[in-house]
Amino acid sequence: MGELDRVKVRKVGQEGQELAVLEFQGRLREQVIESFRQNYLASGSYMPDARGLSPQSAQSIALAGTAAGATAVSATFAPTLFMATANPATLMQLGAGVGSAVMGPTGIVAQAAFIPVAASLPVVAPILAMQAITAAVMLREFEKVDKKLDSIKDLLNSTLARAEATHAAELLTATRTVDEVYEQCMIEGAFSHDMLIRLSIAEHDIRRLAMRFRTLVESHSVEQADDPEAVGRANYDAHSAMFGSFVELRIAYLRLCVDMQENPKSVERSVSRLRGAIVDATEFWQRLRKRSEVLKAAVAEHERNLNDMNWAERLIGGRGASAERKLDALRDAYISTMESELAIMEGFDSAIQSARQALTSLDEQDLDADASPTLVYWEDEAGQHSFSTSQLAVKPV
């Protein structure tokens, strides 16, 4: 087996922050890149799930994967293809093992020897590359939540369409733009300037409206339950606030995708924001699910107070009649709020559970071996190419 059929492998970083960097050169590099190009010509994407990655993040992989100094970077990078994974165990034993290394639609298929790079070389993991991998894992875990949200959003969409249209129309219009950008991102795997502009405009509108409805919900008190119109408005605001929180989560997802492509230094903060958005949303959803419980407690308290009144207290100043009217209003509000909650809670428990499981998997790093993404980078006559994918694997023979 010739030198051109060998793949150099370097393990960098420390336990918990490790990367296995694979360096493809010569004939093997051309075979792998040709496979990428064929996929691109056939489907418009190098891999079915390829996502745009900042060249700056990808170059940090290359620097970790080669012994060349900064002065020789351009000369070293040009004829080389780099791949990196944060789960070296899924590749091979980084010793004298052999593996397969020619790209096919589902992995690497042709034979090549893997040779470990000397252990004396630097072992510090590239920060931007590690952040990119963490972000890719976060996005993959969030997709489990995102699928749950779509079915609930459809229910809320129809509810808002029947409600007061003053702000609902703005909310639904901005949401439609976000959905269009999301769908285009899933197809293209990268953001165009047009997509970035549309996302920014929609994001501004969504955040403004979501905060408006959330403020209205949290300022509503049970004392307003004697006004049927106020109860109806509160239920409408709750629907709108919940709807807005779903769309804000999708925006946080897209923002992380944007930063992976355009703003590598902001990726870590975007990951943190998406985590925080999921935590905040699940807590808010739980509070919205318990609005009727507050009214139920108020009904029980008014029933006790009314039962504790003697006949004289009931007659003096019409206190008994007033208490009964208040109790009836609370009961009506309780029933109306229960109906409102039931209208939007179908499948909601599973969405909350899915969000919590995604966060637990990320925090405890309890991930499936296949969940570890691969980062890919190379240069050719067309320029720099970099992306992340979860469908690319290198396996021992």
Side-chain angles (χ1 to χ4, degrees):
M1 185 175 294
E3 181 67 27
L4 293 180
D5 295 321
R6 294 176 182 272
V7 178
K8 295 180 180 179
V9 182
R10 175 180 298 173
K11 190 174 180 180
V12 297
Q14 301 174 349
E15 187 174 354
Q17 288 285 307
E18 286 183 321
L19 280 178
V21 181
L22 286 72
E23 180 181 339
F24 298 78
Q25 293 186 337
R27 183 173 59 198
L28 192 54
R29 170 190 183 274
E30 296 307 315
Q31 288 176 300
V32 176
I33 292 177
E34 180 59 26
S35 180
F36 284 144
R37 288 169 176 162
Q38 290 177 1
N39 283 345
Y40 186 84
L41 291 173
S43 64
S45 179
Y46 292 118
M47 293 291 291
D49 69 335
R51 295 288 175 263
L53 182 66
S54 164
Q56 186 177 355
S57 295
Q59 282 181 352
S60 69
I61 302 169
L63 282 171
T66 179
T71 56
V73 165
S74 60
T76 303
F77 282 9
T80 307
L81 165 69
F82 293 96
M83 297 183 193
T85 175
N87 191 353
T90 64
L91 296 179
M92 57 184 295
Q93 295 297 318
L94 296 180
V98 296
S100 55
V102 176
M103 182 59 53
T106 60
I108 295 180
V109 295
Q111 297 296 320
F114 288 77
I115 55 174
V117 177
S120 60
L121 293 174
V123 294
V124 178
I127 295 175
L128 292 181
M130 290 304 306
Q131 289 177 355
I133 284 181
T134 299
V137 172
M138 179 74 180
L139 292 175
R140 177 163 175 164
E141 286 296 304
F142 181 79
E143 287 176 2
K144 301 174 185 176
V145 184
D146 203 45
K147 291 176 182 177
K148 303 280 187 180
L149 297 183
D150 273 334
S151 60
I152 302 171
K153 191 162 68 70
D154 289 340
L155 292 173
L156 291 169
N157 198 322
S158 61
T159 301
L160 287 178
R162 300 189 188 99
E164 176 187 326
T166 305
H167 296 286
E170 296 179 33
L171 185 59
L172 293 174
T173 300
T175 298
R176 190 170 294 114
T177 300
V178 172
D179 288 345
E180 289 172 356
V181 173
Y182 177 85
E183 291 172 4
Q184 193 171 354
C185 175
M186 294 302 100
I187 295 172
E188 300 290 341
F191 292 86
S192 64
H193 291 300
D194 169 69
M195 293 166 66
L196 293 174
I197 292 171
R198 291 161 62 206
L199 176 61
S200 295
I201 295 173
E203 181 180 19
H204 172 269
D205 291 341
I206 291 293
R207 286 186 171 177
R208 173 176 59 84
L209 292 165
M211 181 56 70
R212 174 187 185 275
F213 288 120
R214 184 162 180 167
T215 301
L216 289 172
V217 168
E218 293 178 340
S219 64
H220 180 77
S221 63
V222 72
E223 285 74 18
Q224 297 173 301
D226 56 354
D227 181 357
E229 291 187 4
V231 173
R233 287 195 299 270
N235 289 333
Y236 163 71
D237 292 338
H239 290 198
S240 302
M242 191 176 295
F243 186 94
S245 73
F246 292 156
V247 185
E248 282 190 306
L249 276 184
R250 177 158 285 178
I251 288 174
Y253 173 97
L254 289 171
R255 272 295 161 201
L256 179 51
C257 294
V258 169
D259 286 339
M260 287 185 68
Q261 175 184 315
E262 301 288 335
N263 311 302
K265 292 183 180 179
S266 298
V267 165
E268 185 176 18
R269 293 187 65 185
S270 293
V271 169
S272 178
R273 286 195 193 99
L274 181 52
R275 285 175 183 264
I278 296 175
V279 171
D280 180 67
T282 52
E283 291 176 351
F284 181 57
W285 299 339
Q286 289 282 40
R287 293 200 299 273
L288 289 179
R289 295 175 67 215
K290 295 179 180 179
R291 289 183 307 124
S292 60
E293 293 181 9
V294 176
L295 288 168
K296 182 179 180 180
V299 168
E301 181 181 356
H302 278 70
E303 287 177 340
R304 287 193 301 270
N305 293 338
L306 186 60
N307 292 333
D308 290 342
M309 286 184 184
N310 57 41
W311 65 270
E313 291 175 319
R314 288 174 180 265
L315 292 176
I316 295 174
R319 288 178 57 192
S322 176
E324 288 180 355
R325 286 195 298 271
K326 178 66 174 179
L327 180 58
D328 288 341
L330 282 170
R331 285 171 175 162
D332 290 342
Y334 173 63
I335 293 171
S336 175
T337 302
M338 281 287 291
E339 291 174 348
S340 169
E341 291 175 354
L342 290 173
I344 58 178
M345 289 306 165
E346 183 178 336
F348 198 68
D349 285 334
S350 63
I352 294 177
Q353 187 64 25
S354 179
R356 287 175 173 168
Q357 288 175 350
L359 285 175
T360 299
S361 296
L362 288 165
D363 293 338
E364 297 179 359
Q365 296 187 351
D366 182 22
L367 299 168
D368 187 292
D370 293 334
S372 179
T374 299
L375 308 186
V376 181
Y377 173 83
W378 80 93
E379 292 184 35
D380 58 22
E381 64 280 0
Q384 296 178 322
H385 308 270
S386 53
F387 61 89
S388 68
T389 175
S390 295
Q391 297 185 17
L392 177 60
V394 182
K395 299 179 180 179
V397 179

